[in-house]
mmCIF file of all heavy atoms in Angstrom:
data_model
loop_
_atom_site.group_PDB
_atom_site.id
_atom_site.type_symbol
_atom_site.label_atom_id
_atom_site.label_comp_id
_atom_site.label_asym_id
_atom_site.label_seq_id
_atom_site.Cartn_x
_atom_site.Cartn_y
_atom_site.Cartn_z
ATOM 1 N N LEU A 16 -30.547 -10.589 -7.396
ATOM 2 C CA LEU A 16 -29.154 -10.803 -7.651
ATOM 3 C C LEU A 16 -28.774 -12.247 -7.349
ATOM 4 O O LEU A 16 -29.370 -12.867 -6.448
ATOM 5 C CB LEU A 16 -28.278 -9.857 -6.786
ATOM 6 C CG LEU A 16 -28.460 -8.391 -6.991
ATOM 7 C CD1 LEU A 16 -27.674 -7.623 -5.942
ATOM 8 C CD2 LEU A 16 -27.985 -7.999 -8.382
ATOM 9 N N TYR A 17 -27.745 -12.707 -7.986
ATOM 10 C CA TYR A 17 -27.217 -14.050 -7.677
ATOM 11 C C TYR A 17 -26.111 -13.845 -6.649
ATOM 12 O O TYR A 17 -24.916 -13.972 -6.931
ATOM 13 C CB TYR A 17 -26.721 -14.716 -8.951
ATOM 14 C CG TYR A 17 -27.800 -14.875 -9.975
ATOM 15 C CD1 TYR A 17 -27.742 -14.321 -11.229
ATOM 16 C CD2 TYR A 17 -28.925 -15.691 -9.651
ATOM 17 C CE1 TYR A 17 -28.807 -14.507 -12.156
ATOM 18 C CE2 TYR A 17 -29.949 -15.864 -10.573
ATOM 19 C CZ TYR A 17 -29.849 -15.271 -11.832
ATOM 20 O OH TYR A 17 -30.850 -15.461 -12.732
ATOM 21 N N SER A 18 -26.502 -13.562 -5.425
ATOM 22 C CA SER A 18 -25.575 -13.160 -4.354
ATOM 23 C C SER A 18 -24.522 -14.209 -4.041
ATOM 24 O O SER A 18 -23.358 -13.870 -3.757
ATOM 25 C CB SER A 18 -26.350 -12.859 -3.082
ATOM 26 O OG SER A 18 -27.321 -11.894 -3.303
ATOM 27 N N ILE A 19 -24.914 -15.494 -4.105
ATOM 28 C CA ILE A 19 -23.973 -16.530 -3.766
ATOM 29 C C ILE A 19 -22.841 -16.572 -4.797
ATOM 30 O O ILE A 19 -21.670 -16.618 -4.459
ATOM 31 C CB ILE A 19 -24.634 -17.913 -3.641
ATOM 32 C CG1 ILE A 19 -25.660 -17.912 -2.501
ATOM 33 C CG2 ILE A 19 -23.617 -19.024 -3.529
ATOM 34 C CD1 ILE A 19 -25.087 -17.900 -1.099
ATOM 35 N N GLU A 20 -23.220 -16.525 -6.067
ATOM 36 C CA GLU A 20 -22.180 -16.519 -7.117
ATOM 37 C C GLU A 20 -21.322 -15.263 -6.996
ATOM 38 O O GLU A 20 -20.083 -15.340 -7.114
ATOM 39 C CB GLU A 20 -22.793 -16.595 -8.515
ATOM 40 C CG GLU A 20 -21.736 -16.598 -9.593
ATOM 41 C CD GLU A 20 -22.245 -16.385 -10.987
ATOM 42 O OE1 GLU A 20 -23.210 -15.581 -11.176
ATOM 43 O OE2 GLU A 20 -21.614 -16.921 -11.894
ATOM 44 N N LEU A 21 -21.923 -14.111 -6.772
ATOM 45 C CA LEU A 21 -21.156 -12.883 -6.643
ATOM 46 C C LEU A 21 -20.222 -12.940 -5.449
ATOM 47 O O LEU A 21 -19.085 -12.430 -5.515
ATOM 48 C CB LEU A 21 -22.120 -11.654 -6.493
ATOM 49 C CG LEU A 21 -22.952 -11.357 -7.708
ATOM 50 C CD1 LEU A 21 -23.949 -10.259 -7.422
ATOM 51 C CD2 LEU A 21 -22.094 -10.970 -8.888
ATOM 52 N N MET A 22 -20.645 -13.517 -4.366
ATOM 53 C CA MET A 22 -19.784 -13.679 -3.188
ATOM 54 C C MET A 22 -18.544 -14.509 -3.523
ATOM 55 O O MET A 22 -17.435 -14.133 -3.242
ATOM 56 C CB MET A 22 -20.568 -14.302 -2.032
ATOM 57 C CG MET A 22 -19.781 -14.561 -0.754
ATOM 58 S SD MET A 22 -19.353 -16.303 -0.399
ATOM 59 C CE MET A 22 -20.739 -17.287 -0.885
ATOM 60 N N TYR A 23 -18.786 -15.638 -4.197
ATOM 61 C CA TYR A 23 -17.618 -16.498 -4.630
ATOM 62 C C TYR A 23 -16.717 -15.733 -5.581
ATOM 63 O O TYR A 23 -15.504 -15.806 -5.434
ATOM 64 C CB TYR A 23 -18.111 -17.789 -5.266
ATOM 65 C CG TYR A 23 -18.544 -18.875 -4.300
ATOM 66 C CD1 TYR A 23 -19.782 -19.427 -4.353
ATOM 67 C CD2 TYR A 23 -17.659 -19.354 -3.337
ATOM 68 C CE1 TYR A 23 -20.178 -20.444 -3.484
ATOM 69 C CE2 TYR A 23 -18.022 -20.354 -2.466
ATOM 70 C CZ TYR A 23 -19.281 -20.911 -2.530
ATOM 71 O OH TYR A 23 -19.665 -21.914 -1.666
ATOM 72 N N LEU A 24 -17.274 -15.069 -6.525
ATOM 73 C CA LEU A 24 -16.485 -14.313 -7.493
ATOM 74 C C LEU A 24 -15.648 -13.230 -6.816
ATOM 75 O O LEU A 24 -14.441 -13.067 -7.107
ATOM 76 C CB LEU A 24 -17.380 -13.629 -8.579
ATOM 77 C CG LEU A 24 -17.967 -14.577 -9.610
ATOM 78 C CD1 LEU A 24 -19.017 -13.860 -10.402
ATOM 79 C CD2 LEU A 24 -16.872 -15.123 -10.511
ATOM 80 N N LYS A 25 -16.212 -12.504 -5.874
ATOM 81 C CA LYS A 25 -15.475 -11.502 -5.145
ATOM 82 C C LYS A 25 -14.327 -12.075 -4.334
ATOM 83 O O LYS A 25 -13.205 -11.583 -4.334
ATOM 84 C CB LYS A 25 -16.443 -10.690 -4.248
ATOM 85 C CG LYS A 25 -15.768 -9.665 -3.357
ATOM 86 C CD LYS A 25 -15.152 -8.570 -4.194
ATOM 87 C CE LYS A 25 -14.580 -7.508 -3.294
ATOM 88 N NZ LYS A 25 -13.763 -6.565 -4.032
ATOM 89 N N MET A 26 -14.592 -13.190 -3.651
ATOM 90 C CA MET A 26 -13.533 -13.807 -2.845
ATOM 91 C C MET A 26 -12.432 -14.352 -3.750
ATOM 92 O O MET A 26 -11.256 -14.164 -3.446
ATOM 93 C CB MET A 26 -14.144 -14.946 -2.008
ATOM 94 C CG MET A 26 -15.018 -14.436 -0.877
ATOM 95 S SD MET A 26 -15.736 -15.756 0.168
ATOM 96 C CE MET A 26 -14.222 -16.331 1.036
ATOM 97 N N ILE A 27 -12.792 -14.987 -4.864
ATOM 98 C CA ILE A 27 -11.751 -15.520 -5.736
ATOM 99 C C ILE A 27 -10.921 -14.386 -6.344
ATOM 100 O O ILE A 27 -9.701 -14.463 -6.349
ATOM 101 C CB ILE A 27 -12.406 -16.334 -6.885
ATOM 102 C CG1 ILE A 27 -13.035 -17.608 -6.296
ATOM 103 C CG2 ILE A 27 -11.415 -16.683 -7.995
ATOM 104 C CD1 ILE A 27 -14.017 -18.307 -7.256
ATOM 105 N N SER A 28 -11.588 -13.328 -6.794
ATOM 106 C CA SER A 28 -10.797 -12.245 -7.444
ATOM 107 C C SER A 28 -9.993 -11.423 -6.452
ATOM 108 O O SER A 28 -8.995 -10.825 -6.868
ATOM 109 C CB SER A 28 -11.767 -11.321 -8.225
ATOM 110 O OG SER A 28 -12.668 -10.674 -7.331
ATOM 111 N N SER A 29 -10.289 -11.510 -5.135
ATOM 112 C CA SER A 29 -9.500 -10.769 -4.160
ATOM 113 C C SER A 29 -8.324 -11.586 -3.669
ATOM 114 O O SER A 29 -7.406 -11.034 -3.010
ATOM 115 C CB SER A 29 -10.386 -10.318 -3.016
ATOM 116 O OG SER A 29 -10.776 -11.441 -2.201
ATOM 117 N N ALA A 30 -8.296 -12.896 -3.941
ATOM 118 C CA ALA A 30 -7.196 -13.731 -3.393
ATOM 119 C C ALA A 30 -5.878 -13.414 -4.096
ATOM 120 O O ALA A 30 -5.865 -13.170 -5.321
ATOM 121 C CB ALA A 30 -7.535 -15.187 -3.591
ATOM 122 N N ARG A 31 -4.814 -13.376 -3.320
ATOM 123 C CA ARG A 31 -3.526 -13.104 -3.865
ATOM 124 C C ARG A 31 -2.524 -14.277 -3.684
ATOM 125 O O ARG A 31 -1.528 -14.383 -4.402
ATOM 126 C CB ARG A 31 -2.875 -11.894 -3.193
ATOM 127 C CG ARG A 31 -3.670 -10.599 -3.393
ATOM 128 C CD ARG A 31 -3.631 -10.199 -4.886
ATOM 129 N NE ARG A 31 -4.544 -9.070 -5.160
ATOM 130 C CZ ARG A 31 -5.654 -9.212 -5.846
ATOM 131 N NH1 ARG A 31 -6.027 -10.394 -6.302
ATOM 132 N NH2 ARG A 31 -6.427 -8.184 -6.058
ATOM 133 N N GLU A 32 -2.809 -15.140 -2.704
ATOM 134 C CA GLU A 32 -1.864 -16.233 -2.373
ATOM 135 C C GLU A 32 -2.480 -17.640 -2.546
ATOM 136 O O GLU A 32 -1.881 -18.498 -3.193
ATOM 137 C CB GLU A 32 -1.320 -16.111 -0.991
ATOM 138 C CG GLU A 32 -0.505 -14.833 -0.778
ATOM 139 C CD GLU A 32 -0.124 -14.653 0.677
ATOM 140 O OE1 GLU A 32 -0.103 -15.654 1.427
ATOM 141 O OE2 GLU A 32 0.170 -13.532 1.051
ATOM 142 N N ARG A 33 -3.666 -17.819 -1.922
ATOM 143 C CA ARG A 33 -4.195 -19.157 -1.958
ATOM 144 C C ARG A 33 -5.727 -19.178 -1.802
ATOM 145 O O ARG A 33 -6.290 -18.284 -1.118
ATOM 146 C CB ARG A 33 -3.581 -20.049 -0.860
ATOM 147 C CG ARG A 33 -3.739 -19.540 0.517
ATOM 148 C CD ARG A 33 -2.773 -20.207 1.481
ATOM 149 N NE ARG A 33 -2.843 -19.617 2.806
ATOM 150 C CZ ARG A 33 -2.238 -18.510 3.156
ATOM 151 N NH1 ARG A 33 -1.487 -17.827 2.327
ATOM 152 N NH2 ARG A 33 -2.394 -18.026 4.395
ATOM 153 N N ILE A 34 -6.335 -20.161 -2.404
ATOM 154 C CA ILE A 34 -7.783 -20.412 -2.318
ATOM 155 C C ILE A 34 -7.962 -21.849 -2.067
ATOM 156 O O ILE A 34 -7.490 -22.691 -2.863
ATOM 157 C CB ILE A 34 -8.528 -19.994 -3.633
ATOM 158 C CG1 ILE A 34 -8.324 -18.532 -3.972
ATOM 159 C CG2 ILE A 34 -10.041 -20.398 -3.544
ATOM 160 C CD1 ILE A 34 -8.807 -18.188 -5.391
ATOM 161 N N TYR A 35 -8.648 -22.217 -0.986
ATOM 162 C CA TYR A 35 -8.947 -23.605 -0.647
ATOM 163 C C TYR A 35 -10.481 -23.766 -0.684
ATOM 164 O O TYR A 35 -11.198 -23.041 -0.006
ATOM 165 C CB TYR A 35 -8.426 -23.998 0.734
ATOM 166 C CG TYR A 35 -6.924 -23.920 0.861
ATOM 167 C CD1 TYR A 35 -6.350 -23.895 2.149
ATOM 168 C CD2 TYR A 35 -6.036 -23.924 -0.206
ATOM 169 C CE1 TYR A 35 -5.001 -23.858 2.326
ATOM 170 C CE2 TYR A 35 -4.678 -23.889 -0.021
ATOM 171 C CZ TYR A 35 -4.161 -23.853 1.208
ATOM 172 O OH TYR A 35 -2.796 -23.839 1.382
ATOM 173 N N ILE A 36 -10.923 -24.710 -1.507
ATOM 174 C CA ILE A 36 -12.373 -24.947 -1.658
ATOM 175 C C ILE A 36 -12.683 -26.391 -1.275
ATOM 176 O O ILE A 36 -11.965 -27.321 -1.695
ATOM 177 C CB ILE A 36 -12.795 -24.744 -3.145
ATOM 178 C CG1 ILE A 36 -12.532 -23.265 -3.567
ATOM 179 C CG2 ILE A 36 -14.254 -25.101 -3.342
ATOM 180 C CD1 ILE A 36 -12.669 -23.071 -5.102
ATOM 181 N N SER A 37 -13.722 -26.574 -0.532
ATOM 182 C CA SER A 37 -14.193 -27.900 -0.215
ATOM 183 C C SER A 37 -15.698 -27.954 -0.610
ATOM 184 O O SER A 37 -16.499 -27.126 -0.101
ATOM 185 C CB SER A 37 -14.043 -28.187 1.299
ATOM 186 O OG SER A 37 -14.469 -29.505 1.572
ATOM 187 N N THR A 38 -16.052 -28.846 -1.484
ATOM 188 C CA THR A 38 -17.432 -28.932 -1.955
ATOM 189 C C THR A 38 -17.745 -30.340 -2.470
ATOM 190 O O THR A 38 -16.867 -30.992 -3.066
ATOM 191 C CB THR A 38 -17.689 -27.918 -3.087
ATOM 192 O OG1 THR A 38 -19.055 -27.919 -3.476
ATOM 193 C CG2 THR A 38 -16.810 -28.156 -4.298
ATOM 194 N N PRO A 39 -18.974 -30.831 -2.174
ATOM 195 C CA PRO A 39 -19.318 -32.134 -2.696
ATOM 196 C C PRO A 39 -19.769 -32.126 -4.194
ATOM 197 O O PRO A 39 -19.799 -33.170 -4.823
ATOM 198 C CB PRO A 39 -20.473 -32.600 -1.782
ATOM 199 C CG PRO A 39 -21.070 -31.351 -1.328
ATOM 200 C CD PRO A 39 -19.936 -30.319 -1.248
ATOM 201 N N TYR A 40 -20.132 -30.959 -4.665
ATOM 202 C CA TYR A 40 -20.605 -30.821 -6.052
ATOM 203 C C TYR A 40 -19.892 -29.631 -6.682
ATOM 204 O O TYR A 40 -19.884 -28.522 -6.165
ATOM 205 C CB TYR A 40 -22.145 -30.577 -6.134
ATOM 206 C CG TYR A 40 -22.896 -31.519 -5.216
ATOM 207 C CD1 TYR A 40 -23.646 -31.053 -4.175
ATOM 208 C CD2 TYR A 40 -22.796 -32.913 -5.411
ATOM 209 C CE1 TYR A 40 -24.323 -31.922 -3.360
ATOM 210 C CE2 TYR A 40 -23.490 -33.782 -4.599
ATOM 211 C CZ TYR A 40 -24.216 -33.301 -3.567
ATOM 212 O OH TYR A 40 -24.904 -34.172 -2.759
ATOM 213 N N PHE A 41 -19.302 -29.869 -7.817
ATOM 214 C CA PHE A 41 -18.513 -28.827 -8.502
ATOM 215 C C PHE A 41 -18.892 -28.730 -9.963
ATOM 216 O O PHE A 41 -18.363 -29.399 -10.814
ATOM 217 C CB PHE A 41 -16.986 -29.139 -8.380
ATOM 218 C CG PHE A 41 -16.131 -28.016 -8.797
ATOM 219 C CD1 PHE A 41 -15.772 -27.004 -7.913
ATOM 220 C CD2 PHE A 41 -15.643 -27.941 -10.113
ATOM 221 C CE1 PHE A 41 -14.971 -25.953 -8.312
ATOM 222 C CE2 PHE A 41 -14.822 -26.878 -10.508
ATOM 223 C CZ PHE A 41 -14.490 -25.899 -9.604
#
Side-chain angles (χ1 to χ4, degrees):
L16 296 173
Y17 299 119
S18 306
I19 297 288
E20 182 193 33
L21 294 174
M22 178 253 322
Y23 279 124
L24 286 169
K25 177 64 176 168
M26 290 180 71
I27 293 166
S28 64
S29 71
R31 298 292 171 253
E32 297 174 21
R33 59 197 174 278
I34 300 169
Y35 297 163
I36 300 168
S37 181
T38 184
Y40 313 118
F41 190 85

